[in-house]
Amino acid sequence: MKKVLYIIIAILSLSSCKDYLNKPSLNQFDESNFWTSEGNIRLFAQGTYTAYFMGYGSGYTWGDYFTGGAWADEYNSTSLWGSTTATSSTGWNFSYVRRHNLMLNRVENSTTITDEAKKHWMGIARFFRALEYSDLCATYGNMPFYDKELLPTDLDEIYKDRQPIGEVVTKMIEDFDYAAANVRVTDGVGQINKDVVLAYMVRKMLYFGTLLKYHNLDQTVATAALNKAKWAAEQLIAGAKYQIVDDYRGTFSTNYNLSTNKEVIFYREYLEAKATHCLVAYVHQEGQTGTTLRVINNYLAADGLPIKQSPLYNYSASKYYSEAVQGRDPRLLASFADSIRISGVTKLMGYSTTGIACRKFLPYAADPANLIYMGSTAVTATPLIRYGEVLVAYAEVMAELGQFTQAVADATINKLRARSIKNNNVGNALPKLPNMVVSGTNITANGVVINDPDRDPTVSPILWEIRRERLAELVFEGFRKSDLKRWKKYKYLKTVETAGPTDISMGAPFNFYRWGSPADAPSSPNGKNLIAIRNAFKTKGSLYVFTPGDSTRVATYNLFQSSSRRDWVEGDINYERQYFTSVPLDQIKLYKDMGYTLTQNPGWDTIQ
Amino acid sequence: MHVSKERDRMVRKVLSVFALLLITGSMWAQNIKVTGTVKDNKGEAQIGVAVVIEGTKTGVSTDVNGAYEIMAPTKGTLVFSAIGMKKLSIPINGRAQINAVMELDNVLLDELVVVGWGTQKKENLSGAVSSVNVSKTLQSRPIADVGRALQGSTPGLSITTTSGALGGDPTIRIRSNYASMGQGSASPVILLDNVEVPSLSYVNPNDIESITTLKDASSTAIYGARAANGAILITTKKGSKDGRTTVSYSSNFSWATKTKVPITSRPDLELDYSWKQRNGLALGLGNTPTNEFGQIGPVYYNPDMIVKVKAYYDQYGLGEGLDREMVEGRDFEKRPAGGFYFYRGWDLENMYYRKWAPQQTHNISVAGGTEKVKYNMSAGLLDQKGILKLFEDKYQRLNTSGNLSVDVNKYITLRSNFIFTKLTQDSPFSFTGSTYEPIYYMYRWFSTYPEGTYKGYETRSPAAEMAASKKNPSVAESWYTRISLGSTLNLAKGLTANFDYIYNLTAISSKAAGGYVTGINTFNTYPAGKDLDYWYQTYTSSSYDYVQMTSSRKMRNTYNANIQYEKSFGKHNTKLIVGTNIEDEEYVYQSSKRMGVIDYNFPELNLAIGDQTVASSHTDWSVLGFFGRLNYDYDNKYLLELNFRRDASSKFRDGMRWGSYPSGSAAWRLSEESFWTAVKPYVNSFKVRGSYGTIGNQDVPSSLYYPTIYVTNPSTSGNYWLRSANFVPYTNTTVGGTTGGTPGLINPDLTWESISTLDFGIDARFFKDKFGLTVDWYNKKTTNAITAGEVIPSSIGASAPRRNYGEISTKGIEIELNFNHIFRNGLEINLSGQYTDYKSVVDKYPTAADPLYSAAYYNGKVMGDIWGYRVERLFQKEDFVYGTDGKIQTQLLANGKTVNVFANLDPAYQELYQSGNFRFSPGDVKFKDLNGDGIINYGTNTLSNLGDRTVIGNTQPRHQFGFRVGANWKGFDFDIFFQGVGRRNLWATGNMILPGYTGSESNFSHTLDYWTEENTDAFYPRPLDYAQTAQWNYQISDRYLLNLSYLRCKTLNFGYTLPQKITKKIMIEKLRIYFSGENLFEWDNLGGVAVDPELDWTTITENDSRSFGRSYPYRRTLSFGVQLDF
């Protein structure tokens, strides 16, 4: 009996032991003992990379390349102006703001790392914060700015109304400045370094400088931002570490990594069975949503003149697609297929809804027998930011600041035009464009003053040509919609004029009765195929006929006659509101319930 | 419920001995010798029946042949009595021989029910406790596990599965699916001999002696901590002391076929429907249709070709009589521009499913003992084959268990037992990623998609992939081991102490090896003129070239100790138990994967050469608790039970760890009162009872109370930043992929969730126990539920810290009925039924002032409610206005949308759901304008303004029921059991439910009733391709909502027990042979939609909105078996 009692007492005393119930986490870091080494901080920072440097995406998730051109003229979209008021908070998300503020605070308070490391990682955190706010402000305009981790009890902070975008851009400039001054010049392969900070500074400051300027949001900050972009670009140019490479298409279609590409400042790396994407398959064998005739028409003729002005091009000759792409800015053939690609015409490359197929991202060696070019298994590295973009942005910045001189043109656009590009990387180089020459308020090519009949009269001739160069250089890199937004030029996206379709609602022009090579005789297999396609077109009625009754010159795509016509009425709030997204209604209501105010963007007051 | 027949027999014998002891021999002079035999109404001799002369203490008991001999007065009366039999009085009237036939007493009022840490007489129960008829529910059924067998057996117990997949545990819930709000689990604890068992699959149904379900807080309180959502108590069979050894053997052979699966429609109708779907928009706009479409790769179809498909079908059917080799010119033709026209339809069902999948079970057990030693040993084997034809998928279980108990002396009993179970499951390797299983692809393409061979090469299809994985099936194995050591000390009369230590080890491992599949890649496009074998290649991605092994082990120590004391003082009966329960668990998991297997005949990690990835997990927790229970009753009339439990859990920080949980129940047996006498002939037993109590729920994630940085290791094809081939952290040259997540806002003061149950019940028996009724009403309420914090704006950048705030309650009713009758000719029938219904409502949640209807929780939300539109009908031609050209007139709205003009409606009536080239036209759905504003919309999507949306259904199973009819006659037994759900709705997507959801994929026979100008009262709208979005006509609505209510014949059992007279001669105590069927037939309300009514989204189908219904079929089983006792 006594023994039993002892056993009971022993058990009861064991169970009162506090240690038995202390079970600290075994496979996650307890935050309180995490911020102790640079390795841990690096690990934390790594978790942010794919948020801003998504590149070609991963698996079947897209990045901004190629499809980033949707809703712009790069990529035909059948959607109407369809944005509706957001009722819940998708997109209105501050979790990265909090993450970067938390990192900044923890690094600053770490007692176990060197001062140099502390400054570097604080610089990284502030660089991330600037990138995050640039995304938020690009979407919503005005935003509340936070520079510290908030608690639910900080009511006046968390319920703060949106601040004017100019104030936020000023904070962004401070963050970029701090990062540029403190981030290491080198920090290992594939890691953010000072040059990466400078390059993104050029991209983002150009964006906000022009956005504030053209939307007239804050002219003082606009100028400050443009000057920051100028400064950052000049740092990179003066550093002389980067140069323009000849193989334009190769920069976008090299497998694995771009460590030896002198033009690339920062890239995303891929590897079989580890990190792969689907962009190659999309431009390869699958059908792609094609680009518009507008984009093709943007490229200069080889004589350096716009096609409607160029005697070499001879616009009135009504060219077919395969003719139209010859004798042009060589970047055209580096970015697009040299002949029409339509569903059913089986070629190595995929087909496109407009007949114009992008091949900028297609490796020269792409082959359906090789699995890395199919499905989501592509391993081509993404040039996240490259020197070519810095130069074309610098040219634009200087023009906006009224400082675009011949010297600037030579240091920027004429460097890009000096590339030696071959069609499909074989044979002789295509003819280069002549240098851009500044002549007062005009641009000349081979001594001829450029006078593009399509020029928007509100845009100066110099700026018009720089913007043309930007589209040619950066096509399908995910900029076009944001460019039109910052220039306040969404009206370019209307698919219809009174006279008929704009070139944004048309695809590749071709001869309805003869296209392809002479080998495509009606009796050949391909010829039979062409007849079948032709018949399909006839019944579909989706062709645009340039001259009524004459089917020898038609365009493959015709948004004008479909029900997806897209208009733009300047001054009409239902259209103008597309520039800034609606603030979610649930948030506005929550602020109101708590006695605070969260201001909505114009035009989104009602649910539509 | 019977604890067991063996036990009854034992108790009966012991009581007979008692009866004899009471006899004091007083002989009367005028006595005569009366002899006779006592039998039951089946003619079986009754052993140990007490035969007593009425009004005396004189009596004898019957011998093994049922015979007795007694000296009795000639005018006396003999009273025959035995436990489980109706008392019988026979006047002697001078006869020297009196044979008696005793009737079974239908209800054993002394029946013992297993409750927490002990047993209780059923009549004295005051809480909500149900027990399962083990012999009928578990024995002689071809079921693979106990979980599925329990479906419909117990009121308040809900067993659901999402598909018919082999293995795995069904979802088990007691009284509610929503005990917690997003954090905790709602699973009841399953206790096998008082210790938690991780899965019911580890328990051999044949080893089970009893199953009891504890439903209210008062009954489960004594288990504390993890029994907050109810408890299922299982006890295993033990040896007996009667000195006899019994050997039982049973086996069962069964064959399973699929239940209700969708049938692909006739090839030409399918293609034609798809062609119309994909041309739907063009035809709706009056445009010329596209003549030809591709499905995938080289597969094209057009109207001319569909005619040939029809001709092929008329000539060859689905290729019956042809071999699988495809012949150009007959089965397919080249398309001039490249690709092919395939004419041959394939009988996919026959290709992929076995007609009958076999299964066998064998069980053997030996039990016995002496005065001091009791033992029981058993072994069982289950071998279940899956229904896949091209890959032998299977599920196997091996069980052994042993049980030994020794009385060392009159004070000390020692006991020990072990359980060992091994489960093995083989399934095909998935070359399409974890998202899909073969059945997904089987139902994906048209039946004309090439599934045969060409020049002997397989085409790209799940068939080829299953064949490729035949050599290396993906194997999942688990081993469950339990060792327990214990002792009972009989300290004094009525005072015992029990000590037990139990070690549980659950080890789970898996191995999968992928590889390459080579075949004709019919996903690629074909240049003109190329033959079908042009793309004969290895088409699977190199990311499947790996071998992967995982293993985990879960180790749990359980220490139980308790002291029980039982004493009666006159009519006051008391029972007290106090004890402690301490548990800790550690879980370790690791997985290793290596790419580049050298030779798939030897897929091993060390025989692979590629990159390696590993992952692991490591967690632990501990709980400890003290408990006490006092039972008191006065004269078996007034019953009272008080419980107390104090628990601590490692899941909360020091200071917030402990919780105290009292509970109690009381009952009054009115039928024992004198005023009841008048009613007694009709209502012979009547009890009212009530209980209330609270239990703490700690079944929430660990580490909720401190901020953590979650580290993610790169996985194949993950979205991570690649730096180097090797992932070595902490140097600036090789960090890659591994990332740290943002720590969240936390609340260090989180503590237990409390679950309280208020229960009122009635137990009544009528007409001398022929008819029984139990009714329970309850309100189960969770308070302090760990929920999201207060509603805070997004600007804070994190979810508000969790807090103990939420309240959710479930109110329900449970009814149990039974009826027994034995006819004079020996026919015995029994009927039983059960019914359950409950509804869970959110009482308190951090709710926005006007919450979105779609929010997971808000105050007043009825859990499971589905919001949607009501559909009035389909639009017809006369609903629109036509122009002189015969076309529907259109109108351009201010927002840029062009709409068709209605005859009697605002042109913008359904404009909200118009997009792209789609315009509402004849054959489209007309939603009901519920708020009468002339426009269909969803208002602000918030509760105050939902526009035309309303509640159209609920996802939770309502009105669950089961009923059983059984009969015995002269050795024959028959039993049929039905189970059903009165209401369950589901909004599902995909072509099986919403035809045209993906226009280029399969169509099914049941979806052919679509609108055309000739078929205007069709069920489905005009053919359209919805591009994998539930848009346009497929807004969530009552018309296409699934009604998954059903009534199903779960089990039918028909057996024959050979007369003992015969079997005894060959030393066999009992020999029964039987036929049994599972899921034999059903009625449902799916209105022709050919899916099994028990189906739900599975973890696999949830990944893809197209795939509802494309999961493993349920089984219909026929079986034969034998049961032998020696």
Side-chain angles (χ1 to χ4, degrees), chain B residues 199-458:
Chain B
S199 160
L200 274 175
S201 310
Y202 296 137
V203 183
N204 183 355
N206 227 51
D207 287 349
I208 292 176
E209 168 135 327
S210 77
I211 300 177
T212 319
T213 309
L214 308 182
K215 297 185 283 197
D216 62 342
S218 162
S219 313
T220 57
I222 200 156
Y223 288 113
R226 278 158 302 101
N229 291 304
I232 296 174
L233 305 188
I234 300 174
T235 58
T236 55
K237 289 173 184 163
K238 309 289 190 303
S240 66
K241 274 186 178 172
D242 66 2
R244 220 164 55 89
T245 298
T246 53
V247 178
S248 303
Y249 169 78
S250 64
S251 69
N252 174 292
F253 295 86
S254 75
W255 291 267
T257 188
K258 62 207 175 305
T259 56
K260 205 178 160 194
V261 295
I263 297 163
T264 314
S265 56
R266 215 174 71 196
D268 56 312
L269 296 178
E270 170 174 50
L271 289 165
D272 175 60
Y273 193 10
S274 168
W275 187 88
K276 285 178 186 158
Q277 287 164 359
R278 295 176 81 178
N279 269 317
L281 292 176
L283 292 168
L285 295 173
N287 292 345
T288 322
T290 301
N291 187 51
E292 181 165 292
F293 291 102
Q295 185 182 39
I296 185 164
V299 183
Y300 290 87
Y301 56 113
N302 61 43
D304 295 341
M305 167 276 179
I306 292 171
V307 171
K308 292 190 181 169
V309 171
K310 171 85 167 54
Y312 187 97
Y313 180 81
D314 290 341
Q315 186 175 354
Y316 300 106
L318 291 173
E320 295 89 349
L322 301 177
D323 63 17
R324 292 185 59 233
E325 177 71 11
M326 295 181 287
V327 179
E328 189 170 348
R330 182 190 72 184
D331 296 353
F332 67 93
E333 250 178 65
K334 280 202 187 85
R335 177 176 171 268
F340 306 93
Y341 299 120
F342 292 97
Y343 302 132
R344 177 172 180 174
W346 298 85
D347 185 354
L348 297 174
E349 224 184 284
N350 267 329
M351 278 185 65
Y352 282 86
Y353 293 145
R354 284 177 193 238
K355 201 98 197 150
W356 294 100
Q359 172 185 318
Q360 48 178 317
T361 51
H362 300 275
N363 281 291
I364 185 158
S365 65
V366 183
T370 65
E371 273 298 306
K372 295 197 171 231
V373 180
K374 292 190 283 180
Y375 64 86
N376 184 316
M377 287 194 294
S378 78
L381 166 73
L382 165 84
D383 184 3
Q384 184 179 37
K385 300 274 191 275
I387 212 153
L388 297 180
K389 199 176 198 173
L390 300 158
F391 177 92
E392 188 174 277
D393 55 332
K394 63 184 177 204
Y395 177 72
Q396 284 181 324
R397 184 182 60 227
L398 258 174
N399 296 82
T400 56
S401 68
N403 214 310
L404 181 69
S405 158
V406 180
D407 296 345
V408 177
N409 55 38
K410 71 177 190 175
Y411 297 115
I412 302 175
T413 303
L414 295 179
R415 57 178 173 270
S416 170
N417 67 59
F418 76 90
I419 296 171
F420 174 77
T421 302
K422 184 186 176 202
L423 304 178
T424 311
Q425 187 170 359
D426 285 7
S427 45
F429 181 85
S430 175
F431 284 97
T432 40
S434 54
T435 319
Y436 305 114
E437 55 188 352
I439 293 159
Y440 173 88
Y441 270 97
M442 161 189 161
Y443 284 124
R444 180 165 189 184
W445 310 120
F446 302 140
S447 53
T448 51
Y449 175 84
E451 296 264 355
T453 57
Y454 182 66
K455 296 187 183 169
Y457 302 138
E458 288 284 345

Side-chain angles (χ1 to χ4, degrees), chain A residues 20 158 189 274 529 539 563, chain B residues 288 337 584 611 622 723 795 917:
Chain A
Y20 187 74
I158 61 178
V189 182
K274 281 204 164 61
N529 183 20
T539 52
S563 63
Chain B
T288 322
D584 58 79
D611 288 324
S622 56
R723 283 288 318 282
S795 58
N917 282 336

Side-chain angles (χ1 to χ4, degrees), chain B residues 70-110:
Chain B
I70 190 170
M71 295 302 291
T74 47
K75 293 194 171 165
T77 298
L78 291 181
V79 178
F80 299 84
S81 61
I83 300 280
M85 296 288 191
K86 286 186 178 166
K87 204 181 260 184
L88 185 69
S89 299
I90 303 177
I92 298 169
N93 288 337
R95 289 176 292 175
Q97 186 173 20
I98 297 176
N99 293 332
V101 176
M102 295 185 77
E103 278 186 48
L104 275 174
D105 199 347
N106 291 330
V107 173
L108 294 171
L109 287 180
D110 281 344

Side-chain angles (χ1 to χ4, degrees), chain B residues 986-1007:
Chain B
L986 193 75
W987 179 255
T989 50
N991 278 11
M992 278 179 194
I993 314 299
L994 305 175
Y997 190 76
T998 307
S1000 59
E1001 297 184 4
S1002 292
N1003 286 306
F1004 301 91
S1005 294
H1006 69 264
T1007 59

Side-chain angles (χ1 to χ4, degrees), chain B residues 722-770:
Chain B
L722 189 73
R723 283 288 318 282
S724 159
N726 298 307
F727 308 111
V728 185
Y730 309 136
T731 69
N732 74 344
T733 54
T734 54
V735 173
T738 310
T739 59
T742 317
L745 287 167
I746 57 94
N747 172 1
D749 293 338
L750 285 181
T751 188
W752 296 81
E753 299 185 336
S754 306
I755 300 181
S756 311
T757 312
L758 174 65
D759 189 293
F760 293 108
I762 296 168
D763 297 318
R765 303 210 59 85
F766 305 84
F767 311 114
K768 298 181 182 169
D769 291 329
K770 274 203 188 326

Side-chain angles (χ1 to χ4, degrees), chain B residues 1013-1035:
Chain B
E1013 289 188 16
E1014 293 75 41
N1015 185 23
T1016 53
D1017 68 342
F1019 181 66
Y1020 295 109
R1022 70 179 165 119
L1024 285 169
D1025 181 355
Y1026 290 83
Q1028 300 174 30
T1029 313
Q1031 56 182 339
W1032 310 331
N1033 291 315
Y1034 293 152
Q1035 305 304 320

Side-chain angles (χ1 to χ4, degrees), chain A residues 13-26:
Chain A
S13 58
L14 165 75
S15 44
S16 63
C17 185
K18 195 159 87 179
D19 288 346
Y20 187 74
L21 290 166
N22 278 336
K23 299 281 183 188
S25 172
L26 294 172

Side-chain angles (χ1 to χ4, degrees), chain B residues 528-599:
Chain B
K530 297 296 180 192
D531 283 334
L532 188 53
D533 58 339
Y534 176 70
W535 284 125
Y536 178 73
Q537 61 176 181
T538 293
Y539 63 81
T540 49
S541 150
S542 61
S543 62
Y544 297 113
D545 175 16
Y546 68 80
V547 54
Q548 179 167 30
M549 294 171 79
T550 69
S551 66
S552 74
R553 58 183 200 276
K554 195 182 265 185
M555 295 147 290
R556 185 182 290 192
N557 293 297
T558 306
Y559 312 85
N560 289 329
N562 61 67
I563 298 173
Q564 308 195 12
Y565 184 64
E566 195 171 347
K567 191 159 174 70
S568 300
F569 314 89
K571 291 181 171 178
H572 305 270
N573 304 308
T574 57
K575 212 154 88 175
L576 177 72
I577 177 171
V578 292
T580 177
N581 159 235
I582 302 167
E583 292 185 44
D584 58 79
E585 184 180 280
E586 186 179 356
Y587 173 75
V588 185
Y589 163 88
Q590 67 85 24
S591 83
S592 324
K593 177 174 174 180
R594 191 156 193 191
M595 311 301 294
V597 173
I598 299 169
D599 178 349

